[in-house]
Amino acid sequence: MPADYDKGAYPEPPRQTPAVDKQTALPNPALILSKLFYYSVDLPVTTFRDAVDSIRANNKSVYYHQKFRRVPDLTDCEQGDYICYYEAEMQWRRDYKVDQEIVKVIQERMRACQQREGASYHQNCGKEIQQFNEVTKNFQSRYGDLGGYASGRKCLMKQKERMMAAAQAPSA
Amino acid sequence: MVGMSVLRSAAAFAARLSPLKSGNNAANLLSRTIPRTDKVAVRWGHGKKLFVIKPSDYYDRRFLRLLQYYVLLTGVPVAVFVTCVNVFVGEAELVETPEDYEPEHWEYYKHPITRWIARNIYDSPVKDYEKMMAAIQIEKEKADTRLTQLEVRRHMRQKGDGPWFQRPTLDKGLIDYSPKSTPDN
Protein backbone atom coordinates (compact mmCIF):
# COMPACT_ATOMS: atom_id res chain seq x y z
CA MET A 1 0.00 0.00 0.00
CA PRO A 2 1.24 3.54 -0.52
CA ALA A 3 2.46 5.35 2.56
CA ASP A 4 -0.50 7.74 2.80
CA TYR A 5 -3.45 5.37 2.83
CA ASP A 6 -6.56 5.92 4.91
CA LYS A 7 -5.70 4.28 8.23
CA GLY A 8 -9.31 4.24 9.34
CA ALA A 9 -10.59 2.30 6.35
CA TYR A 10 -7.84 -0.33 6.47
CA PRO A 11 -7.14 -0.95 10.16
CA GLU A 12 -4.10 -3.03 10.92
CA PRO A 13 -4.94 -6.38 12.48
CA PRO A 14 -3.66 -7.03 16.01
CA ARG A 15 -0.20 -8.59 16.12
CA GLN A 16 -0.35 -12.28 16.75
CA THR A 17 3.37 -12.92 17.40
CA PRO A 18 3.49 -15.24 20.39
CA ALA A 19 5.88 -14.67 23.28
CA VAL A 20 9.12 -16.59 22.80
CA ASP A 21 8.89 -19.76 24.87
CA LYS A 22 11.80 -21.98 23.90
CA GLN A 23 11.47 -25.39 25.47
CA THR A 24 14.22 -27.14 23.52
CA ALA A 25 17.85 -26.34 22.82
CA LEU A 26 17.42 -27.07 19.12
CA PRO A 27 17.44 -24.11 16.76
CA ASN A 28 14.09 -22.88 15.48
CA PRO A 29 13.76 -23.74 11.77
CA ALA A 30 11.24 -20.95 11.18
CA LEU A 31 13.76 -18.43 12.52
CA ILE A 32 16.51 -19.87 10.33
CA LEU A 33 14.31 -19.74 7.25
CA SER A 34 13.18 -16.20 7.92
CA LYS A 35 16.77 -15.03 8.39
CA LEU A 36 17.72 -16.86 5.17
CA PHE A 37 14.91 -15.14 3.31
CA TYR A 38 15.96 -11.79 4.72
CA TYR A 39 19.58 -12.08 3.67
CA SER A 40 18.96 -13.68 0.28
CA VAL A 41 15.91 -11.71 -0.96
CA ASP A 42 14.98 -8.78 1.25
CA LEU A 43 18.39 -7.18 1.72
CA PRO A 44 19.50 -7.24 -1.95
CA VAL A 45 16.14 -5.89 -3.11
CA THR A 46 16.21 -3.08 -0.55
CA THR A 47 19.78 -2.09 -1.40
CA PHE A 48 18.94 -2.09 -5.12
CA ARG A 49 15.93 0.13 -4.45
CA ASP A 50 18.01 2.51 -2.35
CA ALA A 51 20.71 2.65 -5.02
CA VAL A 52 18.20 3.47 -7.76
CA ASP A 53 16.53 6.08 -5.53
CA SER A 54 19.85 7.76 -4.87
CA ILE A 55 20.49 7.93 -8.63
CA ARG A 56 17.07 9.50 -9.11
CA ALA A 57 17.35 11.86 -6.18
CA ASN A 58 18.54 14.91 -8.10
CA ASN A 59 15.82 15.04 -10.79
CA LYS A 60 12.56 14.39 -9.03
CA SER A 61 9.37 15.50 -10.74
CA VAL A 62 5.82 15.75 -9.48
CA TYR A 63 2.38 15.30 -10.92
CA TYR A 64 -0.96 16.71 -9.84
CA HIS A 65 -4.55 15.57 -9.72
CA GLN A 66 -6.65 17.36 -12.31
CA LYS A 67 -9.82 19.00 -11.06
CA PHE A 68 -12.52 19.88 -13.58
CA ARG A 69 -15.00 22.72 -13.23
CA ARG A 70 -18.66 21.80 -13.09
CA VAL A 71 -20.60 22.77 -16.22
CA PRO A 72 -24.39 22.86 -16.75
CA ASP A 73 -25.99 19.45 -16.87
CA LEU A 74 -27.98 17.95 -19.75
CA THR A 75 -31.21 19.09 -18.11
CA ASP A 76 -29.97 22.70 -17.98
CA CYS A 77 -29.21 22.89 -21.71
CA GLU A 78 -31.42 24.64 -24.25
CA GLN A 79 -32.96 22.56 -27.02
CA GLY A 80 -30.54 22.39 -29.96
CA ASP A 81 -27.55 23.80 -28.08
CA TYR A 82 -25.08 21.16 -29.19
CA ILE A 83 -22.10 22.76 -27.46
CA CYS A 84 -23.92 22.52 -24.15
CA TYR A 85 -24.82 18.90 -24.97
CA TYR A 86 -21.15 18.12 -25.62
CA GLU A 87 -19.92 19.67 -22.38
CA ALA A 88 -22.64 17.90 -20.38
CA GLU A 89 -21.77 14.60 -22.07
CA MET A 90 -18.05 14.98 -21.23
CA GLN A 91 -18.91 15.81 -17.64
CA TRP A 92 -21.20 12.74 -17.45
CA ARG A 93 -18.39 10.54 -18.77
CA ARG A 94 -15.94 11.86 -16.17
CA ASP A 95 -18.52 11.24 -13.45
CA TYR A 96 -19.10 7.71 -14.78
CA LYS A 97 -15.36 6.95 -14.50
CA VAL A 98 -15.25 8.42 -11.01
CA ASP A 99 -18.20 6.28 -9.94
CA GLN A 100 -16.55 3.15 -11.32
CA GLU A 101 -13.43 3.93 -9.29
CA ILE A 102 -15.55 4.54 -6.18
CA VAL A 103 -17.09 1.08 -6.55
CA LYS A 104 -13.61 -0.41 -6.96
CA VAL A 105 -12.39 1.30 -3.76
CA ILE A 106 -15.36 0.03 -1.75
CA GLN A 107 -14.79 -3.45 -3.15
CA GLU A 108 -11.10 -3.25 -2.23
CA ARG A 109 -12.04 -2.32 1.34
CA MET A 110 -14.34 -5.30 1.61
CA ARG A 111 -11.68 -7.62 0.25
CA ALA A 112 -9.09 -6.22 2.67
CA CYS A 113 -11.51 -6.75 5.53
CA GLN A 114 -12.14 -10.34 4.51
CA GLN A 115 -8.42 -10.97 4.23
CA ARG A 116 -7.79 -9.47 7.66
CA GLU A 117 -10.53 -11.32 9.49
CA GLY A 118 -9.92 -14.68 7.91
CA ALA A 119 -12.62 -17.19 8.76
CA SER A 120 -14.73 -14.87 10.88
CA TYR A 121 -15.44 -12.23 8.22
CA HIS A 122 -19.22 -12.84 8.19
CA GLN A 123 -19.39 -11.52 11.71
CA ASN A 124 -16.74 -8.80 11.82
CA CYS A 125 -17.00 -7.18 8.36
CA GLY A 126 -20.68 -6.28 8.54
CA LYS A 127 -20.13 -2.57 7.95
CA GLU A 128 -17.94 -3.07 4.88
CA ILE A 129 -20.29 -5.65 3.41
CA GLN A 130 -23.34 -3.46 3.94
CA GLN A 131 -21.53 -0.46 2.42
CA PHE A 132 -20.50 -2.54 -0.61
CA ASN A 133 -24.03 -3.85 -1.15
CA GLU A 134 -25.50 -0.36 -0.96
CA VAL A 135 -22.93 1.16 -3.30
CA THR A 136 -23.26 -1.58 -5.90
CA LYS A 137 -27.06 -1.45 -5.77
CA ASN A 138 -26.99 2.30 -6.37
CA PHE A 139 -24.45 1.94 -9.19
CA GLN A 140 -26.56 -0.76 -10.81
CA SER A 141 -29.71 1.30 -10.62
CA ARG A 142 -28.01 4.35 -12.09
CA TYR A 143 -25.51 2.98 -14.63
CA GLY A 144 -26.33 -0.72 -14.98
CA ASP A 145 -27.47 -2.13 -18.35
CA LEU A 146 -26.61 1.05 -20.22
CA GLY A 147 -24.18 -0.99 -22.33
CA GLY A 148 -21.00 -0.08 -24.17
CA TYR A 149 -22.52 2.93 -25.97
CA ALA A 150 -23.67 4.54 -22.71
CA SER A 151 -24.20 8.28 -22.84
CA GLY A 152 -25.63 11.01 -20.68
CA ARG A 153 -28.91 11.02 -22.59
CA LYS A 154 -29.45 7.29 -22.09
CA CYS A 155 -28.67 7.63 -18.39
CA LEU A 156 -31.18 10.50 -18.18
CA MET A 157 -33.83 8.38 -19.89
CA LYS A 158 -33.10 5.55 -17.49
CA GLN A 159 -33.55 7.96 -14.60
CA LYS A 160 -36.85 9.11 -16.09
CA GLU A 161 -38.05 5.49 -16.29
CA ARG A 162 -36.97 4.93 -12.71
CA MET A 163 -38.85 8.02 -11.53
CA MET A 164 -41.93 6.96 -13.48
CA ALA A 165 -41.80 3.48 -11.97
CA ALA A 166 -41.36 4.98 -8.50
CA ALA A 167 -44.29 7.34 -9.09
CA GLN A 168 -46.56 4.52 -10.28
CA ALA A 169 -45.55 1.99 -7.64
CA PRO A 170 -47.12 3.61 -4.54
CA SER A 171 -50.27 4.56 -6.47
CA ALA A 172 -50.79 1.04 -7.92
CA MET B 1 33.51 -90.38 -61.96
CA VAL B 2 32.02 -89.82 -58.53
CA GLY B 3 34.94 -87.54 -57.70
CA MET B 4 34.21 -85.59 -60.91
CA SER B 5 30.58 -84.90 -59.83
CA VAL B 6 31.76 -83.95 -56.32
CA LEU B 7 34.31 -81.57 -57.82
CA ARG B 8 31.68 -80.13 -60.18
CA SER B 9 29.18 -79.57 -57.37
CA ALA B 10 31.93 -78.01 -55.21
CA ALA B 11 32.90 -75.69 -58.09
CA ALA B 12 29.27 -74.71 -58.59
CA PHE B 13 28.96 -73.98 -54.83
CA ALA B 14 32.16 -71.92 -54.78
CA ALA B 15 30.98 -69.94 -57.82
CA ARG B 16 27.78 -69.01 -56.03
CA LEU B 17 29.63 -67.41 -53.14
CA SER B 18 30.37 -63.73 -53.71
CA PRO B 19 34.11 -62.94 -53.65
CA LEU B 20 33.47 -59.51 -52.02
CA LYS B 21 32.22 -60.81 -48.69
CA SER B 22 35.00 -60.93 -46.10
CA GLY B 23 34.65 -64.54 -45.02
CA ASN B 24 34.84 -65.94 -48.52
CA ASN B 25 38.54 -65.99 -49.45
CA ALA B 26 40.18 -69.21 -50.42
CA ALA B 27 42.20 -69.39 -47.23
CA ASN B 28 39.29 -69.97 -44.87
CA LEU B 29 36.60 -71.29 -47.24
CA LEU B 30 36.77 -74.78 -45.92
CA SER B 31 37.75 -74.09 -42.33
CA ARG B 32 35.55 -71.16 -41.37
CA THR B 33 33.08 -71.51 -38.50
CA ILE B 34 29.50 -70.23 -38.28
CA PRO B 35 29.42 -67.04 -36.13
CA ARG B 36 27.44 -67.49 -32.94
CA THR B 37 25.42 -64.28 -32.43
CA ASP B 38 24.20 -65.17 -28.93
CA LYS B 39 27.64 -65.22 -27.40
CA VAL B 40 28.99 -61.89 -28.79
CA ALA B 41 30.02 -59.21 -26.17
CA VAL B 42 27.40 -56.38 -26.50
CA ARG B 43 28.23 -52.99 -24.92
CA TRP B 44 25.50 -50.22 -24.63
CA GLY B 45 27.84 -47.27 -24.77
CA HIS B 46 26.62 -44.29 -26.81
CA GLY B 47 24.26 -46.49 -28.78
CA LYS B 48 24.28 -47.32 -32.38
CA LYS B 49 24.56 -44.25 -34.59
CA LEU B 50 21.52 -43.99 -36.78
CA PHE B 51 20.98 -41.84 -39.86
CA VAL B 52 17.40 -40.68 -39.25
CA ILE B 53 15.71 -39.65 -42.44
CA LYS B 54 13.36 -36.70 -41.84
CA PRO B 55 12.25 -33.72 -43.91
CA SER B 56 14.46 -30.63 -43.91
CA ASP B 57 13.97 -28.23 -41.00
CA TYR B 58 16.43 -25.71 -42.47
CA TYR B 59 13.71 -23.34 -43.63
CA ASP B 60 11.84 -23.42 -40.30
CA ARG B 61 15.01 -22.82 -38.29
CA ARG B 62 16.05 -20.04 -40.70
CA PHE B 63 12.68 -18.34 -40.26
CA LEU B 64 12.88 -18.49 -36.47
CA ARG B 65 16.47 -17.28 -36.52
CA LEU B 66 15.60 -14.32 -38.74
CA LEU B 67 12.48 -13.55 -36.67
CA GLN B 68 14.55 -13.50 -33.50
CA TYR B 69 17.16 -11.28 -35.16
CA TYR B 70 14.74 -8.70 -36.50
CA VAL B 71 12.66 -8.56 -33.34
CA LEU B 72 15.73 -8.09 -31.17
CA LEU B 73 17.26 -5.54 -33.56
CA THR B 74 14.86 -2.83 -32.36
CA GLY B 75 13.56 -4.60 -29.26
CA VAL B 76 16.84 -4.54 -27.37
CA PRO B 77 17.55 -0.81 -27.88
CA VAL B 78 13.98 0.06 -26.88
CA ALA B 79 14.19 -2.11 -23.77
CA VAL B 80 17.55 -0.58 -22.82
CA PHE B 81 16.18 2.94 -23.37
CA VAL B 82 13.07 2.34 -21.26
CA THR B 83 15.17 0.77 -18.48
CA CYS B 84 17.53 3.74 -18.47
CA VAL B 85 14.60 6.17 -18.32
CA ASN B 86 13.06 4.27 -15.41
CA VAL B 87 16.37 4.08 -13.51
CA PHE B 88 17.82 7.53 -14.15
CA VAL B 89 14.78 9.77 -14.55
CA GLY B 90 12.11 7.95 -12.60
CA GLU B 91 8.38 8.38 -12.19
CA ALA B 92 6.78 11.45 -10.71
CA GLU B 93 5.18 11.67 -7.26
CA LEU B 94 1.64 12.77 -6.54
CA VAL B 95 1.41 16.04 -4.62
CA GLU B 96 -1.41 18.42 -3.81
CA THR B 97 -1.82 21.25 -6.29
CA PRO B 98 -0.41 24.37 -4.64
CA GLU B 99 -2.65 27.44 -4.42
CA ASP B 100 -2.76 29.84 -7.39
CA TYR B 101 -0.64 27.54 -9.55
CA GLU B 102 -2.05 26.24 -12.81
CA PRO B 103 -0.12 23.07 -13.75
CA GLU B 104 0.76 22.57 -17.41
CA HIS B 105 -1.20 19.85 -19.14
CA TRP B 106 1.74 17.42 -19.13
CA GLU B 107 2.18 17.71 -15.39
CA TYR B 108 -0.88 15.54 -14.85
CA TYR B 109 0.88 12.34 -15.94
CA LYS B 110 3.19 10.04 -13.97
CA HIS B 111 5.62 8.28 -16.30
CA PRO B 112 8.37 10.49 -17.82
CA ILE B 113 7.89 9.13 -21.35
CA THR B 114 4.12 9.82 -21.15
CA ARG B 115 4.90 13.33 -19.93
CA TRP B 116 7.31 13.87 -22.83
CA ILE B 117 4.75 12.64 -25.37
CA ALA B 118 2.04 14.84 -23.84
CA ARG B 119 4.34 17.82 -23.90
CA ASN B 120 5.90 17.51 -27.37
CA ILE B 121 3.68 15.35 -29.55
CA TYR B 122 0.07 15.56 -28.43
CA ASP B 123 -2.06 18.70 -28.21
CA SER B 124 -3.24 19.61 -24.74
CA PRO B 125 -6.64 18.13 -23.75
CA VAL B 126 -8.02 21.65 -23.43
CA LYS B 127 -7.08 22.33 -27.05
CA ASP B 128 -8.66 19.01 -28.15
CA TYR B 129 -11.84 19.90 -26.28
CA GLU B 130 -11.95 23.33 -27.92
CA LYS B 131 -11.27 21.80 -31.35
CA MET B 132 -14.19 19.42 -30.88
CA MET B 133 -16.45 22.24 -29.73
CA ALA B 134 -15.40 24.34 -32.75
CA ALA B 135 -16.27 21.46 -35.08
CA ILE B 136 -19.66 21.09 -33.36
CA GLN B 137 -20.26 24.84 -33.67
CA ILE B 138 -19.46 24.80 -37.40
CA GLU B 139 -21.77 21.83 -38.00
CA LYS B 140 -24.52 23.48 -35.95
CA GLU B 141 -24.25 26.66 -38.00
CA LYS B 142 -24.36 24.63 -41.22
CA ALA B 143 -27.47 22.79 -40.05
CA ASP B 144 -29.18 26.03 -38.99
CA THR B 145 -28.31 27.64 -42.32
CA ARG B 146 -29.82 24.70 -44.21
CA LEU B 147 -33.00 24.89 -42.17
CA THR B 148 -33.40 28.64 -42.77
CA GLN B 149 -32.71 28.11 -46.46
CA LEU B 150 -35.55 25.59 -46.65
CA GLU B 151 -37.85 28.01 -44.80
CA VAL B 152 -36.97 30.90 -47.15
CA ARG B 153 -37.53 28.68 -50.16
CA ARG B 154 -40.96 27.71 -48.92
CA HIS B 155 -41.90 31.36 -48.39
CA MET B 156 -40.61 32.47 -51.76
CA ARG B 157 -42.41 29.70 -53.57
CA GLN B 158 -45.66 30.55 -51.85
CA LYS B 159 -45.63 34.31 -52.02
CA GLY B 160 -43.55 34.63 -55.17
CA ASP B 161 -41.98 37.97 -54.33
CA GLY B 162 -38.40 36.86 -53.79
CA PRO B 163 -35.54 36.46 -56.24
CA TRP B 164 -35.98 32.64 -56.42
CA PHE B 165 -38.70 30.93 -58.45
CA GLN B 166 -38.86 33.68 -61.05
CA ARG B 167 -39.26 32.81 -64.69
CA PRO B 168 -37.57 35.08 -67.28
CA THR B 169 -40.06 36.68 -69.63
CA LEU B 170 -39.92 39.35 -72.31
CA ASP B 171 -39.83 43.01 -71.35
CA LYS B 172 -43.40 44.29 -70.86
CA GLY B 173 -42.42 47.56 -72.52
CA LEU B 174 -42.25 45.67 -75.82
CA ILE B 175 -45.98 44.89 -75.82
CA ASP B 176 -47.64 46.61 -78.76
CA TYR B 177 -51.02 47.92 -77.55
CA SER B 178 -51.74 49.62 -80.90
CA PRO B 179 -54.37 47.06 -82.19
CA LYS B 180 -56.56 47.61 -79.13
CA SER B 181 -55.55 51.17 -78.24
CA THR B 182 -58.58 52.86 -79.86
CA PRO B 183 -62.15 51.48 -79.61
CA ASP B 184 -62.92 52.07 -83.31
CA ASN B 185 -60.07 49.93 -84.73
Side-chain angles (χ1 to χ4, degrees):
Chain A
M1 302 218 69
D4 55 348
Y5 67 94
D6 184 6
K7 305 273 193 304
Y10 298 96
E12 279 187 10
R15 315 238 5 186
Q16 289 176 345
T17 332
V20 177
D21 183 24
K22 272 180 81 85
Q23 290 176 334
T24 71
L26 296 170
N28 189 4
L31 196 66
I32 293 175
L33 283 173
S34 71
K35 282 232 166 309
L36 197 72
F37 179 80
Y38 175 73
Y39 284 113
S40 63
V41 174
D42 204 355
L43 209 55
V45 167
T46 317
T47 43
F48 177 71
R49 169 81 190 229
D50 289 337
V52 170
D53 275 343
S54 68
I55 293 171
R56 285 204 231 160
N58 40 355
N59 45 1
K60 274 195 180 316
S61 51
V62 292
Y63 74 110
Y64 308 100
H65 178 70
Q66 189 164 18
K67 294 185 183 51
F68 292 91
R69 280 202 302 266
R70 299 301 294 183
V71 291
D73 213 0
L74 198 57
T75 46
D76 300 327
C77 284
E78 304 276 336
Q79 168 80 15
D81 187 5
Y82 298 101
I83 302 283
C84 189
Y85 291 171
Y86 177 73
E87 295 210 54
E89 175 70 30
M90 287 294 121
Q91 184 178 257
W92 181 84
R93 288 211 185 152
R94 288 194 292 267
D95 290 341
Y96 188 26
K97 274 208 133 41
V98 166
D99 287 338
Q100 285 170 344
E101 294 295 322
I102 289 173
V103 170
K104 282 184 196 168
V105 166
I106 302 285
Q107 189 182 19
E108 182 67 35
R109 283 190 191 174
M110 192 180 77
R111 286 168 64 189
C113 182
Q114 190 269 332
Q115 173 73 16
R116 267 202 312 275
E117 302 292 337
S120 58
Y121 69 93
H122 288 291
Q123 190 183 359
N124 295 346
C125 290
K127 192 162 74 66
E128 273 85 2
I129 292 177
Q130 185 254 334
Q131 208 175 31
F132 176 73
N133 285 337
E134 195 184 308
V135 163
T136 46
K137 196 158 65 68
N138 292 340
F139 187 86
Q140 183 73 11
S141 78
R142 195 197 274 196
Y143 296 112
D145 296 328
L146 284 180
Y149 297 107
S151 87
R153 299 180 78 102
K154 290 187 187 171
C155 193
L156 189 65
M157 293 302 113
K158 187 166 187 226
Q159 187 188 17
K160 186 183 79 171
E161 291 288 317
R162 227 174 33 241
M163 288 163 91
M164 277 162 55
Q168 278 180 0
S171 67
Chain B
M1 296 282 264
V2 173
M4 283 287 283
S5 67
V6 167
L7 272 178
R8 188 176 291 161
S9 57
F13 177 68
R16 267 212 317 273
L17 291 174
S18 110
L20 297 170
K21 289 231 168 92
S22 58
N24 288 350
N25 19 351
N28 56 357
L29 194 62
L30 290 172
S31 60
R32 62 183 175 175
T33 54
I34 302 164
R36 303 291 307 270
T37 50
D38 51 345
K39 291 208 170 56
V40 173
V42 174
R43 274 172 277 272
W44 286 104
H46 52 82
K48 181 174 173 180
K49 285 170 80 75
L50 301 171
F51 183 75
V52 177
I53 297 178
K54 56 185 197 297
S56 162
D57 59 349
Y58 170 73
Y59 299 100
D60 299 330
R61 283 191 296 127
R62 182 183 70 175
F63 168 71
L64 291 172
R65 206 173 63 235
L66 290 175
L67 183 73
Q68 195 183 21
Y69 174 67
Y70 283 109
V71 163
L72 290 180
L73 193 62
T74 44
V76 163
V78 164
V80 165
F81 176 70
V82 171
T83 310
C84 284
V85 163
N86 279 335
V87 166
F88 293 107
V89 179
E91 293 181 343
E93 288 171 359
L94 183 61
V95 296
E96 289 292 327
T97 319
E99 293 293 331
D100 66 82
Y101 174 64
E102 177 76 28
E104 302 285 341
H105 67 274
W106 68 81
E107 288 178 357
Y108 291 116
Y109 299 101
K110 188 163 65 164
H111 195 264
I113 297 181
T114 320
R115 282 167 81 107
W116 185 86
I117 292 173
R119 193 170 67 229
N120 296 91
I121 298 179
Y122 284 164
D123 283 328
S124 89
V126 176
K127 191 169 168 188
D128 282 337
Y129 197 81
E130 295 286 335
K131 282 196 297 205
M132 184 59 145
M133 290 213 287
I136 292 173
Q137 175 76 9
I138 289 171
E139 291 297 314
K140 175 180 189 297
E141 282 171 2
K142 275 159 72 174
D144 288 342
T145 316
R146 287 185 193 123
L147 282 174
T148 45
Q149 187 190 9
L150 286 175
E151 188 74 19
V152 160
R153 204 181 131 101
R154 191 169 63 83
H155 273 285
M156 284 198 192
R157 197 192 268 272
Q158 263 181 347
K159 293 174 70 173
D161 59 351
W164 301 348
F165 301 106
Q166 290 187 349
R167 296 285 173 264
T169 48
L170 294 172
D171 186 10
K172 63 179 195 274
L174 297 174
I175 300 174
D176 182 17
Y177 290 108
S178 55
K180 302 283 179 184
S181 56
T182 51
D184 301 329
N185 208 350

